[in-house]
């Protein structure tokens, strides 16, 4: 494997893609919350035998939403780490450039 100098464009592209992914996750969570609220309202309006089953399903869906929220938070933490890496990479690049000038 040939070693190449770091290309900040690759990291910038990754950050842009992760930003879009995070945005889509956020939109998914918003839609999911609205859908779950409607589903819960439907369960409340249903007759007792069916409403218990529907409420149980709504509880499971709420747990899934919570897991997805935690995943989205993990993606945000990953993005922040990548931004820090990009900043450090740029700083090292500036130092190397200044060193060559001197």
């Amino acid at each position: 494997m040939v070693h190449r100098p770091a290309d900040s464009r690759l990291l910038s592209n990754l950050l842009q893609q992760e930003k879009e992914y995070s945005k889509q996750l956020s939109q998914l969570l918003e839609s999911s919350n609205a859908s779950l609220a409607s589903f819960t309202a439907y369960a409340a309006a249903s007759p007792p035998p069916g409403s218990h089953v529907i409420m149980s399903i709504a509880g499971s869906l709420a747990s899934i939403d919570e897991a997805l929220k935690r995943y989205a938070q993990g993606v945000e933490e990953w993005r922040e780490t990548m931004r820090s890496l990009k900043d450090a990479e740029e700083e090292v690049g500036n130092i190397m450039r200044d060193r060559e000038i001197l």
Side-chain angles (χ1 to χ4, degrees), residues 8-46:
S8 65
R9 293 176 298 170
L10 296 173
L11 188 53
S12 294
N13 186 36
L14 174 64
L15 285 169
Q16 181 61 34
Q17 296 304 316
E18 289 294 321
K19 180 180 177 182
E20 287 298 316
Y21 180 64
S22 181
K23 183 177 164 183
Q24 290 175 359
L25 272 175
S26 177
Q27 291 172 345
L28 173 65
L29 283 167
E30 288 175 18
S31 297
S32 180
N33 285 335
S35 177
L36 185 58
S38 297
F39 192 65
T40 304
Y42 171 72
S46 296

Side-chain angles (χ1 to χ4, degrees), residues 89-102:
E89 192 175 271
E90 288 174 352
E91 186 175 332
V92 168
N94 289 338
I95 291 170
M96 296 298 288
R97 186 193 70 229
D98 292 348
R99 181 177 174 202
E100 289 177 11
I101 290 172
L102 292 175

Side-chain angles (χ1 to χ4, degrees), residues 73-93:
Q73 289 171 347
V75 169
E76 284 300 318
E77 290 172 9
W78 163 258
R79 287 182 58 224
E80 186 58 40
T81 301
M82 290 295 102
R83 279 192 290 262
S84 297
L85 178 64
K86 182 179 181 249
D87 292 344
E89 192 175 271
E90 288 174 352
E91 186 175 332
V92 168

